[in-house]
Amino acid sequence: MSPAVPQDRVVVRTIVSLKLRLLSNALRRNPRSRVVFILGSVLGLGFATLTALGLSLLHGRPGAGDAAVMLATAQAIGWAALPLFLFSTDESSDPTRLTMLPLRPGPLLRGTLLASLIGPGPVIALVLMTGAAIAASTGAASAATAVLGVPLTVVALVVLSRSVAAGNARMLSSRRGKDFAVLGGLLFAMLIQLGNLASQSVFNRSGSHGRLDLSPLKPFAAVLRWVPPVSSIDAIRSAGDGSYAVALAQLALTAGLLVLLLRWWRGSLQQMMVTADASTLITVKGVGRSRTAGLLPEGRIGAVMQRHLRYAWREPRAKAAVFTGIGMALVFSVLSVVQGWASVYVVAIAGVMLGLQMVNLFGMDGSAFWMVASTLTTRAQARAELVGRALAVLSYAVPVSLVLGVGLAAANDDWGNLAPALGVTFGLLGTGIGLGAVLSVLAPYAMPADSNPMRSAAPGQSGLVLLNGFGSMIGVALLNLPLGGVLGWLLVSHGPSWVVLPIGLCYGAAVAALGVALAAPRLLSRLPEILNTAIER
């Protein structure tokens, strides 16, 4: 036996033991982490078990195999998307942590594969795929195929996730990769909503017939049953139907995909071991004003606007907040049209979500805020700082609100309510900006040291996060009661509802100006406390 073989086994055992140590350290780190890990695992396993039991109850019903195919498809999409969301928070999914060690790609691949099969994620996938197998099986041949198909599918799902992470490791660890994670999160949320719409169509049709009708899934399953790794789950149904050649071909498709993914994974590991990371190379670029700087006001207000907009585009957490607000407004608008409850007043959600981008202005700056704080010596400078940030938020919030409002009015052919809807939206937007300015001064909270867009606050800041979140939402709702009352009175009395547009514009501008006026002197008096909070990590 070659001396390298025992060493390879040691490497594999070491990597597996490292994964076990990571799991044990997560439980021992602090009580909160222990509770979160245990509660998350229990809830995940509980949900998976209930889903598997629900699928098992479909055994023998028409369309049960199609339901199993759709569940396997959802699992494949989820596991492929996991690296986008968990890459920055799961140490075991980052292959760059091991590529600098003097290890050969083969042992590193085997050890990482075995370590990847340890944890609640693969167990949840195994439970779900077992439920899908029970639903799709129709005899002894199906049971025999499931013994091979279920583990093959689970391993393929895990390898799919790890190969995607390894193939895009350097991209995902970069700033642009984190930006892509934000956009991927929004896309994933939209896919979830599409799945929700599909499930509602199934249940609506079932309710009309008095029984569960899975026939809407058939055209989708007819295509997806040949897509690996979903094909190995549908092989269970094929074997039960007596189509042994089809079942064998479906298992072979998943096995072939597994081989290709392992080769891709190994190649990615080897490439990371022998090539330098391009993000570490220093390049010299010209420094100057941006192309849009000429459109901004002169003086401190224009400089603050440019800095805030640059943060919103380049800083992952700031970009995540902005795109989440826009994405939520867009998702609600699209769902309102698709599901039949559309109204042009849905655009008001954009006013709420985008107005609250003013919350925690200085905590988002982090340790860089000390440079800003050193220039704040007068009330006029503090006011200009807040006005510049408010105008930066308005520079993208107003166009987004206008586009969504016009789109909803066109989709519903309800142009008469466009003006009052925009009036309410601008009132909510101005109220959120004014309230956000006050809360940013009175209740700032620190952001985590890393730039992971999925983390919104540093440890120990949960209370302040809740105060900002719920306080701002409740405050915006209460402050806009007068505007809502005016709109309601005009609608009841059949008055000219278009006047809500100028009223909302004036009301929102007045509340925003009042909030900035109240926050400016307190920004100076509380500057040391805000600075300490901003640099706390």
Side-chain angles (χ1 to χ4, degrees):
M1 180 180 295
S2 173
V5 175
Q7 294 179 1
D8 292 349
R9 293 176 180 174
V10 172
V11 170
V12 173
R13 286 198 298 267
T14 302
I15 295 176
V16 174
S17 64
L18 284 174
K19 178 59 178 288
L20 295 173
R21 182 63 59 87
L22 284 173
L23 292 175
S24 62
N25 288 344
L27 295 175
R28 291 201 302 256
R29 187 178 303 168
N30 55 64
R32 177 182 297 179
S33 299
R34 186 184 307 115
V35 171
V36 170
F37 181 83
I38 295 176
L39 184 61
S41 300
V42 171
L43 291 177
L45 288 172
F47 176 78
T49 302
L50 291 177
T51 304
L53 288 175
L55 277 174
S56 301
L57 295 177
L58 297 177
H59 176 72
R61 293 176 176 266
D66 297 333
V69 167
M70 299 307 295
L71 177 63
T73 302
Q75 281 283 291
I77 295 174
W79 278 91
L82 275 177
L84 294 177
F85 312 116
L86 302 182
F87 187 85
S88 299
T89 57
D90 183 8
E91 297 90 343
S92 64
S93 65
D94 188 357
T96 60
R97 296 175 181 268
L98 299 175
T99 52
M100 294 303 294
L101 299 177
L103 302 175
R104 295 193 296 174
L108 179 59
L109 175 64
R110 292 193 294 271
T112 309
L113 174 58
L114 292 177
S116 302
L117 296 174
I118 300 174
V123 175
I124 291 174
L126 180 62
V127 172
L128 289 173
M129 292 301 96
T130 301
I134 295 175
S137 62
T138 55
S142 293
T145 307
V147 173
L148 177 61
V150 170
L152 180 62
T153 304
V154 173
V155 173
L157 291 174
V158 174
V159 173
L160 172 63
S161 176
R162 296 303 183 178
S163 59
V164 169
N168 301 277
R170 286 174 177 164
M171 186 273 291
L172 292 173
S173 59
S174 64
R175 178 180 64 84
R176 293 189 180 276
K178 292 170 183 176
D179 295 343
F180 181 72
V182 174
L183 299 177
L186 293 176
L187 178 61
F188 193 65
M190 293 181 181
L191 289 175
I192 292 176
Q193 292 298 330
L194 291 177
N196 181 37
L197 292 175
S199 62
Q200 286 183 3
S201 67
V202 172
F203 289 114
N204 290 338
R205 180 174 296 190
S206 301
S208 63
H209 291 107
R211 57 183 178 83
L212 186 61
D213 184 10
L214 299 174
S215 59
L217 302 178
K218 188 173 183 178
F220 301 100
V223 177
L224 296 173
R225 65 193 295 251
W226 291 104
V227 178
V230 180
S231 59
S232 54
I233 290 297
D234 192 72
I236 300 171
R237 175 174 57 176
S238 299
D241 294 339
S243 303
Y244 303 116
V246 173
L248 184 61
Q250 290 175 316
L251 291 173
L253 284 174
T254 300
L257 174 66
L258 181 59
V259 172
L260 293 177
L261 290 175
L262 288 173
R263 289 178 62 87
W264 180 30
W265 189 1
R266 180 188 175 100
S268 300
L269 293 175
Q270 187 168 358
Q271 185 179 13
M272 283 187 288
M273 289 177 174
V274 299
T275 58
D277 187 358
S279 64
T280 61
L281 302 178
I282 300 177
T283 58
V284 178
K285 296 182 179 180
V287 179
R289 301 187 71 190
S290 66
R291 298 177 182 177
T292 59
L295 303 175
L296 304 179
E298 297 292 336
R300 185 185 183 101
I301 293 179
V304 172
M305 289 183 65
Q306 185 174 357
R307 167 168 36 92
H308 190 86
L309 292 173
R310 186 167 293 177
Y311 280 2
W313 180 251
R314 293 186 177 182
E315 211 281 328
R317 286 186 300 258
K319 179 176 285 189
V322 173
F323 276 88
T324 299
I326 297 175
M328 289 291 292
L330 179 61
V331 166
F332 274 103
S333 300
V334 173
L335 286 180
S336 68
V337 175
V338 173
Q339 294 183 337
W341 51 274
S343 170
V344 70
Y345 288 98
V346 175
V347 71
I349 297 175
V352 176
M353 299 300 297
L354 298 178
L356 297 181
Q357 300 301 317
M358 282 287 288
V359 174
N360 197 36
L361 291 173
F362 311 113
M364 187 70 73
D365 288 356
S367 58
F369 180 65
W370 75 268
M371 300 181 65
V372 177
S374 63
T375 65
L376 298 176
T377 57
T378 65
R379 183 174 296 187
Q381 291 173 340
R383 182 179 179 278
E385 180 72 25
L386 292 171
V387 169
R389 296 185 185 235
L391 290 177
V393 173
L394 288 173
S395 67
Y396 58 80
V398 171
V400 169
S401 300
L402 289 174
V403 170
L404 290 179
V406 172
L408 287 168
N412 296 284
D413 195 18
D414 189 13
W415 298 99
N417 284 319
L418 177 59
L422 289 178
V424 173
T425 301
F426 293 143
L428 292 168
L429 180 60
T431 304
I433 288 176
L435 187 60
V438 174
L439 287 176
S440 295
V441 173
L442 298 181
Y445 56 90
M447 303 297 290
D450 61 82
S451 58
N452 179 15
M454 303 306 168
R455 296 179 59 190
S456 59
Q461 304 287 312
S462 301
L464 290 175
V465 175
L466 291 176
L467 174 63
N468 277 268
F470 288 102
S472 57
M473 297 289 286
I474 295 174
V476 167
L478 293 177
L479 289 174
N480 279 275
L481 287 178
L483 185 60
V486 171
L487 176 61
W489 177 74
L490 289 173
L491 293 177
V492 171
S493 61
H494 302 286
S497 59
W498 63 266
V499 300
V500 177
L501 177 56
I503 293 175
L505 280 171
C506 295
Y507 184 77
V511 175
L514 178 62
V516 170
L518 293 175
R522 288 163 178 78
L523 174 58
L524 289 178
S525 61
R526 289 180 49 82
L527 195 57
E529 292 86 347
I530 298 173
L531 181 58
N532 290 333
T533 300
I535 64 177
E536 180 183 352
R537 297 291 180 173

